[in-house]
Amino acid sequence: MEEQHGTVVVIEDDPHISDLVDLYLRRDGYRVLLARDGEQGLNLIQQEEPWIVVLDVGLPGELDGFDVCRRIRAKGNLPVLFLTARDDEVDRILGLELGADDYLVKPFSPRELVARVRAILRRTRDVAPPQEIVSIGDLEVDLRRREARRSGEVVPLTTREFDLLTFLSGNIGLALSRHQLLEGVWGADWYGDERTVDVHVAQLRKKLGDSLPLATVWGVGYRFG
Ligand code: CA
């Protein structure tokens, strides 16, 4: 199967941070794989061939972020975006010439992280950004133009409907709970009823008909693709 999204490996032991990074990167169309320590992260990198690694400096276990970065560099030019908690770590990142592509000091805005990831990939990959158009069957989700097309015909959607479709198309094949969809589309700080999701799904189904590859997963939520 052709890969439609760039893969990002995130190596970070703080689940609060990695969940947030995961959410925002997935919302932007990336495939995200999480590792809690350096060894797990290096294994994922070897198996999954990501486009970029988001790497915490302070990691539990044998390998800290600097060790991991050295091993990555020993094998090639995979871009690395460091996450650091302290200024003296920044000095080391810059001083040791580990070949870090960029770094962010905690606490950082997840939007800023997504922007940095995009910028690094624009610099390092001679390709269009990932996920510009997701096509499944006769449905096309054009993320740049914010258009949904059915057999080439534009289907008008509201902003929120399109955001929902974008989030779904960034999570192909995954069973997503209503809660995850609420968080991903409406935001973690949105206080609302999970039935909101059902209402918007119903609208998408009405507008896109059979072209919408969306299954109801009993007791969970929905699966796209
Ligand atoms: Ca840490």
Side-chain angles (χ1 to χ4, degrees), residues 30-78:
Y30 297 97
R31 175 170 170 254
V32 182
L33 301 168
L34 302 178
R36 297 272 181 246
D37 62 40
E39 201 175 334
Q40 209 186 348
L42 287 167
N43 285 337
L44 272 180
I45 290 166
Q46 197 173 5
Q47 286 158 20
E48 303 289 339
E49 299 184 350
W51 287 11
I52 183 168
V53 178
V54 176
L55 177 59
D56 184 30
V57 172
L59 292 169
E62 304 266 294
L63 306 172
D64 67 12
F66 297 125
D67 300 323
V68 173
C69 188
R70 258 181 232 110
R71 295 197 188 192
I72 290 171
R73 282 291 155 270
K75 293 199 171 168
N77 287 322
L78 177 61

Side-chain angles (χ1 to χ4, degrees), residues 12-14 56 58-59 106:
E12 163 65 78
D13 57 307
D14 182 335
D56 184 30
L59 292 169
K106 298 175 187 176

